[in-house]
Amino acid sequence: ETGVTQTPRHLVMGMTNKKSLKCEQHLGHNAMYWYKQSAKKPLELMFVYSLEERVENNSVPSRFSPECPNSSHLFLHLHTLQPEDSALYLCASSQDKDPGYGYTFGSGTRLTVV
Amino acid sequence: AQSVTQLDSHVSVSEGTPVLLRCNYSSSYSPSLFWYVQHPNKGLQLLLKYTSAATLVKGINGFEAEFKKSETSFHLTKPSAHMSDAAEYFCVVSEPSGYSTLTFGKGTMLLVSP
């Protein structure tokens, strides 16, 4: 365990479903991130939350909706997804404003959209 | 703007032989540099990081990397490969900002044969 826990580990959903991914960290970090990892592509930063405020949204479609209720929890709400959204979704946390610290990643949620 | 180029998409070695994974970066600032490893169906684990201290950085599992500013390189090495080293390796650059954001390379898959 890295200290960042993601659930569920695997998720299969239809294009009309609504589901949520959950991320939890107990490292005392104050920044949390969602990344998308697709086959043959570099990791794509989706959202950044710093001190529970969204500070970056990298042109992510509105069918992905993040929520950060507190500094330890991060959600990614999914609705009306497309097959090309199938990927590994990784959550990470860090100590904000310290680029040398690095990120701690969760094990990811493998999402398959059918 | 920052970028990372991992020069090899795949590297194959025999167990017990040296490992060299190449990475070049581009950055407008004095960057922080990282290597992460991802085993199948796992999240990313931090191997080592460079943050403007010693240019030769030692990490976990016997890996090390040398920061060479003149060559804008941060190659990852290990004297003797183990079967358990087979995984995908990501070179990552981070620049100072209001919050830490990382730019990932496309990854190098390390294959280790008996």
Side-chain angles (χ1 to χ4, degrees), chain A residues 99-101, chain B residues 27 30-34 50-52 92-96 102:
Chain A
Y101 191 85
Chain B
S27 175
S30 295
S32 295
L33 293 158
F34 309 83
Y50 165 78
T51 56
S52 75
V92 183
V93 63
S94 173
E95 290 182 350
L102 309 180

Side-chain angles (χ1 to χ4, degrees), chain B residues 44-62:
Chain B
L44 279 78
Q45 180 184 16
L46 180 65
L47 270 181
L48 50 80
K49 60 182 179 181
Y50 165 78
T51 56
S52 75
T55 56
L56 182 62
V57 181
K58 294 187 184 298
I60 62 172
N61 300 335

Side-chain angles (χ1 to χ4, degrees), chain B residues 59-89:
Chain B
I60 62 172
N61 300 335
F63 284 94
E64 61 182 39
E66 186 171 8
F67 173 72
K68 292 186 176 180
K69 186 175 181 179
S70 60
E71 298 176 10
T72 61
S73 69
F74 190 58
H75 301 333
L76 181 70
T77 60
K78 183 174 180 178
S80 176
H82 294 160
M83 295 296 291
S84 60
D85 294 328
E88 190 158 24
Y89 292 77

Side-chain angles (χ1 to χ4, degrees), chain A residues 35-54:
Chain A
Y35 277 87
K36 177 183 179 182
Q37 186 177 30
S38 305
K40 309 296 184 186
K41 295 174 69 175
L43 264 75
E44 302 171 62
L45 178 64
M46 300 176 72
F47 300 104
V48 180
Y49 275 83
S50 175
L51 299 172
E52 300 158 38
E53 286 190 40
R54 189 189 311 180

Side-chain angles (χ1 to χ4, degrees), chain B residues 12-29:
Chain B
S12 295
V13 301
S14 299
E15 192 173 21
T17 63
V19 175
L20 170 63
L21 305 183
R22 298 181 294 165
C23 172
N24 287 99
Y25 71 91
S26 171
S27 175
S28 304
Y29 303 92

Side-chain angles (χ1 to χ4, degrees), chain B residues 6 11 18 25 34-35 41 47 51 60 65 67 81 87-88 90-91 94 99 103 112:
Chain B
Q6 290 185 243
V11 170
Y25 71 91
F34 309 83
W35 276 98
N41 300 314
L47 270 181
T51 56
I60 62 172
F67 173 72
E88 190 158 24
F90 293 92
C91 183
S94 173
Y99 46 88
T103 299
V112 182

